[in-house]
């Protein structure tokens, strides 16, 4: 394995990711990064959840999840649901505004990636897809062996 090419690849991936994040952030009208958007997606998919469960699912610390939840609630994109029988049990639920923000984030994300990949031929896209799928399989295989 050529280390020089690996480092060039890492640098190219980082540059591409940074550029995509900046393009997304400029187009997205909410002061949110990817972490809160992932939380909104989880809430849309699985419904209301405790913050501790969300933190485990998306891989954030409890403290980070508290900050994300507070930001989402303050923006009206999520709400806290309190258990009538036990006020210590609090779930986070996506709001209609959160649904709309998530839909908009997904559209902008799709547009950003579509513009990125439009310079590739169909053959190059197929090759890139095969490489990405191979890398994803490798990540899952490593996870399963830990």
């Amino acid at each position: 394995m050529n280390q020089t090419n690996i480092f060039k690849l890492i640098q190219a991936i980082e540059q591409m990711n940074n550029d995509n994040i900046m393009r997304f952030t400029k187009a997205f009208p909410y002061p949110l990064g990817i972490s809160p958007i992932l939380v909104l997606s989880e809430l849309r998919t699985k419904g209301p959840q405790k913050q501790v469960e969300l933190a485990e699912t998306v891989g954030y610390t409890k403290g980070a999840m508290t900050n994300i939840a507070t930001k989402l609630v303050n923006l009206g994109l999520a709400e806290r649901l309190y258990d009538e029988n036990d006020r210590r049990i609090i779930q986070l639920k996506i709001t209609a505004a959160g649904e709309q923000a998530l839909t908009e984030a997904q559209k902008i994300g799709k547009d950003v990636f579509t513009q990125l990949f439009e310079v590739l031929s169909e053959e190059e896209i197929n090759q890139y897809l095969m490489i990405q799928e191979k890398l994803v399989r490798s990540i899952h295989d490593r996870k399963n062996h830990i």
Side-chain angles (χ1 to χ4, degrees):
M1 186 181 321
N2 183 335
Q3 291 296 321
T4 302
N5 284 343
I6 292 296
F7 289 124
K8 284 182 179 179
L9 180 60
I10 291 168
Q11 186 178 25
I13 290 169
E14 287 177 349
Q15 183 178 0
M16 187 175 62
N17 287 339
N18 289 342
D19 289 348
N20 282 339
I21 289 168
M22 289 187 328
R23 288 176 58 217
F24 175 86
T25 302
K26 284 182 183 178
F28 192 56
Y30 299 90
L32 296 175
I34 191 66
S35 299
I37 294 168
L38 292 174
V39 170
L40 287 175
S41 180
E42 271 301 302
L43 292 172
R44 176 191 275 173
T45 302
K46 296 181 181 172
Q49 296 176 55
K50 295 179 188 176
Q51 287 181 198
V52 173
E53 295 167 349
L54 277 167
E56 288 174 12
T57 301
V58 294
Y60 302 133
T61 64
K62 292 175 188 174
M65 190 63 240
T66 298
N67 290 337
I68 291 168
T70 299
K71 183 175 247 187
L72 291 173
V73 169
N74 289 343
L75 291 170
L77 305 178
E79 62 184 338
R80 289 189 173 100
L81 302 176
Y82 297 90
D83 187 311
E84 292 178 13
N85 299 322
D86 188 347
R87 301 266 309 156
R88 295 173 298 177
I89 299 175
I90 304 167
Q91 291 188 317
L92 200 61
K93 177 185 177 194
I94 191 169
T95 63
E99 295 269 0
Q100 183 178 347
L102 181 58
T103 298
E104 191 166 349
Q106 290 169 332
K107 182 194 175 306
I108 292 169
K110 182 179 177 183
D111 290 346
V112 166
F113 277 101
T114 299
Q115 290 171 16
L116 172 70
F117 293 128
E118 70 187 6
V119 300
L120 300 177
S121 69
E122 197 64 36
E123 182 181 338
E124 289 169 325
I125 288 173
N126 289 333
Q127 290 172 349
Y128 189 71
L129 178 59
M130 286 182 358
I131 291 168
Q132 289 288 10
E133 288 172 340
K134 184 175 184 177
L135 292 171
V136 168
R137 278 192 306 274
S138 174
I139 290 168
H140 287 288
D141 290 347
R142 286 185 184 155
K143 251 193 236 180
N144 293 334
H145 289 105
I146 293 177

